[in-house]
Amino acid sequence: MGSYNFFPLQPFVPIVLGGVELLNFSARNLNQDVDLPYLAAVQYNRNVVGWVLGIGFELYVSENLVFNGKGLYHLTNTAYLDDFDKLAYDEFVKAGKGAVITDAIKTGSGNDNFLTFGLGISYYIFGDQDVDDDRIDRLDAEG
């Protein structure tokens, strides 16, 4: 995943993030360690390549102490994170017991996308105090 810091020398630094992710998933019921039944019927792929987009921030409380946060939107390229796809199900039911599992049913009709977010605190022990490479430490330049 890549990121871009808009104002790296300021106390508040907004960040834009983006990248590719590899996702392996297994839809299961709560308190049961078995796959949900649609996987056995359809045999969809549980390993997918997806995209991730996000925004975040770093707030420098001091030179080495940072409060940070980010929110990520995951575009998964699968319709089966929850083991169900309505269009594939309708096609499967319409055909009855003699249903042929086509590639369209294995792929599904939509994408199960999701959001994640987090907050954190970082402490930089060995940070580079000369962030702009002018051979003057940041604290000396501000001082």
Side-chain angles (χ1 to χ4, degrees), residues 61-109:
V61 179
S62 71
E63 186 68 25
N64 294 330
L65 183 64
V66 179
F67 177 67
N68 53 53
K70 66 181 171 183
L72 300 174
Y73 185 65
H74 302 263
L75 297 110
T76 64
N77 292 323
T78 183
Y80 292 109
L81 284 184
D82 56 358
D83 193 57
F84 184 78
D85 179 65
K86 178 73 170 131
L87 182 64
Y89 175 77
D90 290 345
E91 290 295 319
F92 194 67
V93 167
K94 189 179 356 175
K97 291 189 179 202
V100 175
I101 305 302
T102 64
D103 287 338
I105 289 175
K106 287 183 181 180
T107 303
S109 63

Short mmCIF file of all heavy atoms in Angstrom, two decimals, residues 61-109:
data_model
loop_
_atom_site.label_atom_id
_atom_site.label_comp_id
_atom_site.label_asym_id
_atom_site.label_seq_id
_atom_site.Cartn_x
_atom_site.Cartn_y
_atom_site.Cartn_z
N VAL A 61 2.09 15.42 18.56
CA VAL A 61 1.91 15.99 19.89
C VAL A 61 3.24 16.57 20.37
O VAL A 61 3.27 17.62 21.01
CB VAL A 61 1.40 14.91 20.87
CG1 VAL A 61 1.23 15.47 22.26
CG2 VAL A 61 0.10 14.31 20.35
N SER A 62 4.33 15.92 20.02
CA SER A 62 5.68 16.41 20.28
C SER A 62 6.54 15.95 19.10
O SER A 62 6.04 15.38 18.14
CB SER A 62 6.23 15.88 21.61
OG SER A 62 6.50 14.50 21.51
N GLU A 63 7.85 16.17 19.19
CA GLU A 63 8.75 15.78 18.10
C GLU A 63 8.70 14.28 17.81
O GLU A 63 8.80 13.87 16.66
CB GLU A 63 10.18 16.19 18.46
CG GLU A 63 11.17 15.98 17.34
CD GLU A 63 10.95 16.91 16.14
OE1 GLU A 63 10.38 17.99 16.33
OE2 GLU A 63 11.35 16.52 15.04
N ASN A 64 8.52 13.46 18.84
CA ASN A 64 8.56 12.01 18.68
C ASN A 64 7.23 11.31 18.95
O ASN A 64 7.09 10.14 18.64
CB ASN A 64 9.63 11.40 19.59
CG ASN A 64 11.02 11.83 19.19
OD1 ASN A 64 11.29 12.09 18.02
ND2 ASN A 64 11.90 11.92 20.16
N LEU A 65 6.26 11.99 19.53
CA LEU A 65 4.98 11.39 19.89
C LEU A 65 3.91 11.82 18.90
O LEU A 65 3.69 13.01 18.68
CB LEU A 65 4.57 11.79 21.31
CG LEU A 65 3.29 11.16 21.84
CD1 LEU A 65 3.45 9.66 21.97
CD2 LEU A 65 2.93 11.78 23.19
N VAL A 66 3.26 10.82 18.27
CA VAL A 66 2.29 11.09 17.21
C VAL A 66 0.98 10.36 17.50
O VAL A 66 0.98 9.17 17.79
CB VAL A 66 2.84 10.62 15.84
CG1 VAL A 66 1.83 10.87 14.74
CG2 VAL A 66 4.15 11.29 15.53
N PHE A 67 -0.13 11.08 17.39
CA PHE A 67 -1.48 10.50 17.42
C PHE A 67 -1.90 10.34 15.96
O PHE A 67 -1.77 11.28 15.18
CB PHE A 67 -2.43 11.43 18.18
CG PHE A 67 -3.84 10.95 18.21
CD1 PHE A 67 -4.19 9.80 18.90
CD2 PHE A 67 -4.83 11.66 17.55
CE1 PHE A 67 -5.50 9.36 18.91
CE2 PHE A 67 -6.14 11.24 17.57
CZ PHE A 67 -6.48 10.09 18.26
N ASN A 68 -2.36 9.14 15.58
CA ASN A 68 -2.67 8.92 14.17
C ASN A 68 -3.98 8.17 14.01
O ASN A 68 -4.48 7.55 14.95
CB ASN A 68 -1.53 8.17 13.47
CG ASN A 68 -1.16 6.90 14.19
OD1 ASN A 68 -2.00 6.06 14.47
ND2 ASN A 68 0.12 6.74 14.52
N GLY A 69 -4.52 8.25 12.82
CA GLY A 69 -5.75 7.54 12.50
C GLY A 69 -5.88 7.36 11.01
O GLY A 69 -5.27 8.09 10.22
N LYS A 70 -6.65 6.34 10.63
CA LYS A 70 -6.91 6.14 9.21
C LYS A 70 -8.20 5.36 9.03
O LYS A 70 -8.63 4.60 9.90
CB LYS A 70 -5.75 5.41 8.53
CG LYS A 70 -5.53 3.98 8.98
CD LYS A 70 -4.35 3.38 8.25
CE LYS A 70 -3.99 2.04 8.86
NZ LYS A 70 -2.83 1.46 8.24
N GLY A 71 -8.82 5.59 7.89
CA GLY A 71 -10.00 4.85 7.47
C GLY A 71 -9.73 4.27 6.10
O GLY A 71 -9.20 4.96 5.22
N LEU A 72 -10.07 3.01 5.91
CA LEU A 72 -9.80 2.32 4.65
C LEU A 72 -11.09 1.73 4.08
O LEU A 72 -11.90 1.17 4.82
CB LEU A 72 -8.79 1.18 4.85
CG LEU A 72 -7.43 1.56 5.40
CD1 LEU A 72 -6.60 0.32 5.68
CD2 LEU A 72 -6.70 2.47 4.43
N TYR A 73 -11.26 1.86 2.78
CA TYR A 73 -12.38 1.25 2.06
C TYR A 73 -11.81 0.11 1.22
O TYR A 73 -10.94 0.33 0.38
CB TYR A 73 -13.07 2.29 1.17
CG TYR A 73 -14.30 1.77 0.48
CD1 TYR A 73 -15.42 1.39 1.23
CD2 TYR A 73 -14.36 1.65 -0.89
CE1 TYR A 73 -16.56 0.93 0.61
CE2 TYR A 73 -15.49 1.17 -1.52
CZ TYR A 73 -16.59 0.82 -0.77
OH TYR A 73 -17.72 0.34 -1.39
N HIS A 74 -12.27 -1.10 1.47
CA HIS A 74 -11.76 -2.31 0.82
C HIS A 74 -12.73 -2.72 -0.29
O HIS A 74 -13.88 -3.05 -0.02
CB HIS A 74 -11.63 -3.45 1.83
CG HIS A 74 -10.74 -3.13 2.98
ND1 HIS A 74 -9.42 -3.51 3.01
CD2 HIS A 74 -10.98 -2.45 4.12
CE1 HIS A 74 -8.89 -3.09 4.14
NE2 HIS A 74 -9.80 -2.44 4.82
N LEU A 75 -12.26 -2.70 -1.54
CA LEU A 75 -13.01 -3.17 -2.70
C LEU A 75 -12.54 -4.59 -2.98
O LEU A 75 -11.45 -4.80 -3.51
CB LEU A 75 -12.76 -2.25 -3.90
CG LEU A 75 -13.22 -0.82 -3.68
CD1 LEU A 75 -12.03 0.10 -3.55
CD2 LEU A 75 -14.12 -0.39 -4.79
N THR A 76 -13.35 -5.58 -2.61
CA THR A 76 -12.86 -6.96 -2.51
C THR A 76 -12.91 -7.77 -3.80
O THR A 76 -12.27 -8.81 -3.89
CB THR A 76 -13.68 -7.73 -1.46
OG1 THR A 76 -15.04 -7.82 -1.90
CG2 THR A 76 -13.59 -7.07 -0.11
N ASN A 77 -13.69 -7.38 -4.78
CA ASN A 77 -13.85 -8.14 -6.02
C ASN A 77 -14.43 -9.54 -5.79
O ASN A 77 -14.13 -10.48 -6.52
CB ASN A 77 -12.53 -8.26 -6.79
CG ASN A 77 -12.09 -6.93 -7.35
OD1 ASN A 77 -12.92 -6.13 -7.78
ND2 ASN A 77 -10.80 -6.67 -7.32
N THR A 78 -15.25 -9.71 -4.75
CA THR A 78 -15.97 -10.96 -4.54
C THR A 78 -17.36 -10.63 -3.99
O THR A 78 -17.53 -9.64 -3.28
CB THR A 78 -15.25 -11.91 -3.58
OG1 THR A 78 -16.00 -13.13 -3.49
CG2 THR A 78 -15.09 -11.33 -2.19
N ALA A 79 -18.31 -11.47 -4.32
CA ALA A 79 -19.67 -11.30 -3.82
C ALA A 79 -19.95 -12.23 -2.64
O ALA A 79 -21.07 -12.28 -2.14
CB ALA A 79 -20.68 -11.58 -4.94
N TYR A 80 -18.95 -12.97 -2.19
CA TYR A 80 -19.21 -14.05 -1.24
C TYR A 80 -18.55 -13.90 0.13
O TYR A 80 -18.38 -14.89 0.83
CB TYR A 80 -18.79 -15.37 -1.87
CG TYR A 80 -19.67 -15.77 -3.03
CD1 TYR A 80 -19.20 -15.73 -4.33
CD2 TYR A 80 -20.97 -16.17 -2.81
CE1 TYR A 80 -20.01 -16.09 -5.39
CE2 TYR A 80 -21.79 -16.52 -3.85
CZ TYR A 80 -21.31 -16.48 -5.15
OH TYR A 80 -22.11 -16.83 -6.19
N LEU A 81 -18.22 -12.71 0.57
CA LEU A 81 -17.68 -12.57 1.93
C LEU A 81 -18.67 -13.08 2.96
O LEU A 81 -18.28 -13.61 4.00
CB LEU A 81 -17.34 -11.11 2.24
CG LEU A 81 -16.07 -10.54 1.62
CD1 LEU A 81 -15.85 -9.12 2.12
CD2 LEU A 81 -14.87 -11.39 1.91
N ASP A 82 -19.96 -12.91 2.68
CA ASP A 82 -21.01 -13.39 3.59
C ASP A 82 -21.60 -14.73 3.12
O ASP A 82 -22.64 -15.15 3.61
CB ASP A 82 -22.11 -12.35 3.71
CG ASP A 82 -22.70 -11.96 2.36
OD1 ASP A 82 -22.23 -12.46 1.32
OD2 ASP A 82 -23.63 -11.14 2.35
N ASP A 83 -20.95 -15.40 2.16
CA ASP A 83 -21.36 -16.70 1.63
C ASP A 83 -22.69 -16.63 0.88
O ASP A 83 -23.40 -17.63 0.76
CB ASP A 83 -21.46 -17.74 2.76
CG ASP A 83 -21.57 -19.16 2.23
OD1 ASP A 83 -20.67 -19.58 1.48
OD2 ASP A 83 -22.55 -19.85 2.55
N PHE A 84 -23.06 -15.47 0.35
CA PHE A 84 -24.35 -15.37 -0.34
C PHE A 84 -24.30 -14.29 -1.41
O PHE A 84 -23.73 -13.22 -1.20
CB PHE A 84 -25.46 -15.04 0.66
CG PHE A 84 -26.82 -15.01 0.04
CD1 PHE A 84 -27.50 -16.18 -0.24
CD2 PHE A 84 -27.42 -13.80 -0.28
CE1 PHE A 84 -28.75 -16.15 -0.82
CE2 PHE A 84 -28.68 -13.77 -0.86
CZ PHE A 84 -29.34 -14.95 -1.13
N ASP A 85 -24.93 -14.59 -2.55
CA ASP A 85 -25.12 -13.61 -3.61
C ASP A 85 -26.52 -13.82 -4.17
O ASP A 85 -26.85 -14.92 -4.62
CB ASP A 85 -24.07 -13.77 -4.71
CG ASP A 85 -24.29 -12.77 -5.81
OD1 ASP A 85 -24.15 -11.56 -5.54
OD2 ASP A 85 -24.61 -13.19 -6.94
N LYS A 86 -27.37 -12.82 -4.13
CA LYS A 86 -28.79 -12.93 -4.49
C LYS A 86 -28.98 -13.39 -5.94
O LYS A 86 -29.77 -14.29 -6.21
CB LYS A 86 -29.48 -11.59 -4.24
CG LYS A 86 -30.93 -11.55 -4.63
CD LYS A 86 -31.80 -12.33 -3.67
CE LYS A 86 -33.27 -12.07 -3.96
NZ LYS A 86 -34.04 -13.28 -4.05
N LEU A 87 -28.29 -12.78 -6.88
CA LEU A 87 -28.47 -13.15 -8.28
C LEU A 87 -28.04 -14.60 -8.53
O LEU A 87 -28.75 -15.36 -9.19
CB LEU A 87 -27.69 -12.21 -9.20
CG LEU A 87 -27.84 -12.48 -10.69
CD1 LEU A 87 -29.27 -12.27 -11.15
CD2 LEU A 87 -26.91 -11.57 -11.48
N ALA A 88 -26.92 -14.99 -7.98
CA ALA A 88 -26.46 -16.37 -8.13
C ALA A 88 -27.45 -17.34 -7.48
O ALA A 88 -27.76 -18.40 -8.03
CB ALA A 88 -25.07 -16.53 -7.53
N TYR A 89 -27.98 -16.97 -6.32
CA TYR A 89 -28.96 -17.80 -5.63
C TYR A 89 -30.23 -17.97 -6.46
O TYR A 89 -30.75 -19.08 -6.61
CB TYR A 89 -29.29 -17.19 -4.26
CG TYR A 89 -30.37 -17.93 -3.52
CD1 TYR A 89 -30.09 -19.13 -2.87
CD2 TYR A 89 -31.67 -17.42 -3.47
CE1 TYR A 89 -31.10 -19.80 -2.19
CE2 TYR A 89 -32.67 -18.09 -2.80
CZ TYR A 89 -32.39 -19.28 -2.16
OH TYR A 89 -33.36 -19.95 -1.49
N ASP A 90 -30.73 -16.87 -7.03
CA ASP A 90 -31.94 -16.93 -7.86
C ASP A 90 -31.74 -17.86 -9.06
O ASP A 90 -32.62 -18.65 -9.40
CB ASP A 90 -32.34 -15.53 -8.33
CG ASP A 90 -32.87 -14.67 -7.20
OD1 ASP A 90 -33.19 -15.22 -6.12
OD2 ASP A 90 -32.92 -13.43 -7.38
N GLU A 91 -30.57 -17.76 -9.70
CA GLU A 91 -30.28 -18.63 -10.84
C GLU A 91 -30.21 -20.09 -10.41
O GLU A 91 -30.69 -20.99 -11.09
CB GLU A 91 -28.97 -18.22 -11.50
CG GLU A 91 -29.03 -16.90 -12.23
CD GLU A 91 -29.98 -16.96 -13.43
OE1 GLU A 91 -29.97 -17.98 -14.15
OE2 GLU A 91 -30.73 -15.99 -13.62
N PHE A 92 -29.62 -20.32 -9.26
CA PHE A 92 -29.47 -21.67 -8.73
C PHE A 92 -30.83 -22.27 -8.39
O PHE A 92 -31.12 -23.41 -8.72
CB PHE A 92 -28.56 -21.61 -7.50
CG PHE A 92 -28.05 -22.95 -7.04
CD1 PHE A 92 -27.16 -23.67 -7.81
CD2 PHE A 92 -28.44 -23.47 -5.83
CE1 PHE A 92 -26.67 -24.89 -7.39
CE2 PHE A 92 -27.97 -24.70 -5.39
CZ PHE A 92 -27.08 -25.40 -6.18
N VAL A 93 -31.71 -21.49 -7.76
CA VAL A 93 -33.04 -21.96 -7.38
C VAL A 93 -33.91 -22.20 -8.62
O VAL A 93 -34.64 -23.18 -8.69
CB VAL A 93 -33.71 -20.96 -6.41
CG1 VAL A 93 -35.18 -21.26 -6.24
CG2 VAL A 93 -33.00 -20.98 -5.08
N LYS A 94 -33.82 -21.31 -9.60
CA LYS A 94 -34.62 -21.43 -10.82
C LYS A 94 -34.33 -22.74 -11.55
O LYS A 94 -35.24 -23.37 -12.09
CB LYS A 94 -34.33 -20.24 -11.74
CG LYS A 94 -35.26 -20.15 -12.92
CD LYS A 94 -35.03 -18.97 -13.86
CE LYS A 94 -34.00 -17.99 -13.48
NZ LYS A 94 -33.75 -16.95 -14.48
N ALA A 95 -33.09 -23.16 -11.54
CA ALA A 95 -32.71 -24.39 -12.25
C ALA A 95 -33.02 -25.65 -11.47
O ALA A 95 -33.03 -26.75 -12.03
CB ALA A 95 -31.23 -24.33 -12.60
N GLY A 96 -33.27 -25.53 -10.17
CA GLY A 96 -33.61 -26.69 -9.36
C GLY A 96 -32.41 -27.59 -9.08
O GLY A 96 -31.27 -27.17 -9.13
N LYS A 97 -32.71 -28.88 -8.85
CA LYS A 97 -31.64 -29.82 -8.47
C LYS A 97 -30.67 -30.08 -9.60
O LYS A 97 -29.55 -30.50 -9.38
CB LYS A 97 -32.25 -31.13 -7.99
CG LYS A 97 -32.96 -31.00 -6.68
CD LYS A 97 -33.36 -32.33 -6.13
CE LYS A 97 -34.04 -32.10 -4.79
NZ LYS A 97 -34.01 -33.27 -3.95
N GLY A 98 -31.09 -29.84 -10.83
CA GLY A 98 -30.20 -30.06 -11.96
C GLY A 98 -29.40 -28.82 -12.33
O GLY A 98 -28.90 -28.70 -13.43
N ALA A 99 -29.26 -27.89 -11.40
CA ALA A 99 -28.57 -26.63 -11.68
C ALA A 99 -27.11 -26.87 -12.05
O ALA A 99 -26.43 -27.68 -11.44
CB ALA A 99 -28.65 -25.71 -10.47
N VAL A 100 -26.70 -26.18 -13.07
CA VAL A 100 -25.30 -26.22 -13.48
C VAL A 100 -24.62 -24.99 -12.89
O VAL A 100 -25.08 -23.87 -13.05
CB VAL A 100 -25.18 -26.22 -15.02
CG1 VAL A 100 -23.72 -26.15 -15.43
CG2 VAL A 100 -25.86 -27.44 -15.59
N ILE A 101 -23.53 -25.21 -12.19
CA ILE A 101 -22.80 -24.10 -11.57
C ILE A 101 -21.94 -23.47 -12.65
O ILE A 101 -20.91 -24.00 -13.04
CB ILE A 101 -21.94 -24.59 -10.39
CG1 ILE A 101 -22.79 -25.35 -9.38
CG2 ILE A 101 -21.24 -23.41 -9.74
CD1 ILE A 101 -23.95 -24.57 -8.81
N THR A 102 -22.37 -22.33 -13.15
CA THR A 102 -21.64 -21.62 -14.20
C THR A 102 -20.59 -20.70 -13.59
O THR A 102 -20.59 -20.44 -12.38
CB THR A 102 -22.61 -20.78 -15.05
OG1 THR A 102 -23.18 -19.77 -14.21
CG2 THR A 102 -23.71 -21.64 -15.64
N ASP A 103 -19.70 -20.19 -14.44
CA ASP A 103 -18.70 -19.23 -13.97
C ASP A 103 -19.37 -17.97 -13.43
O ASP A 103 -18.88 -17.35 -12.49
CB ASP A 103 -17.73 -18.88 -15.09
CG ASP A 103 -16.76 -20.02 -15.38
OD1 ASP A 103 -16.57 -20.87 -14.48
OD2 ASP A 103 -16.20 -20.05 -16.49
N ALA A 104 -20.51 -17.59 -14.03
CA ALA A 104 -21.23 -16.40 -13.55
C ALA A 104 -21.72 -16.60 -12.12
O ALA A 104 -21.68 -15.69 -11.31
CB ALA A 104 -22.40 -16.08 -14.48
N ILE A 105 -22.19 -17.81 -11.82
CA ILE A 105 -22.64 -18.09 -10.45
C ILE A 105 -21.44 -18.11 -9.50
O ILE A 105 -21.51 -17.59 -8.39
CB ILE A 105 -23.43 -19.41 -10.40
CG1 ILE A 105 -24.79 -19.23 -11.09
CG2 ILE A 105 -23.61 -19.88 -8.96
CD1 ILE A 105 -25.60 -20.50 -11.20
N LYS A 106 -20.32 -18.69 -9.93
CA LYS A 106 -19.13 -18.72 -9.08
C LYS A 106 -18.60 -17.31 -8.81
O LYS A 106 -18.06 -17.03 -7.76
CB LYS A 106 -18.03 -19.57 -9.72
CG LYS A 106 -18.31 -21.04 -9.67
CD LYS A 106 -17.16 -21.82 -10.26
CE LYS A 106 -17.44 -23.30 -10.23
NZ LYS A 106 -16.33 -24.07 -10.79
N THR A 107 -18.74 -16.42 -9.80
CA THR A 107 -18.25 -15.05 -9.64
C THR A 107 -19.20 -14.21 -8.80
O THR A 107 -18.78 -13.40 -7.99
CB THR A 107 -18.07 -14.39 -11.02
OG1 THR A 107 -17.18 -15.18 -11.77
CG2 THR A 107 -17.53 -12.98 -10.88
N GLY A 108 -20.50 -14.40 -8.98
CA GLY A 108 -21.49 -13.59 -8.27
C GLY A 108 -21.77 -12.31 -9.03
O GLY A 108 -21.15 -12.00 -10.03
N SER A 109 -22.75 -11.57 -8.54
CA SER A 109 -23.21 -10.39 -9.28
C SER A 109 -22.73 -9.06 -8.71
O SER A 109 -22.89 -8.04 -9.34
CB SER A 109 -24.74 -10.37 -9.30
OG SER A 109 -25.23 -10.25 -7.98
#
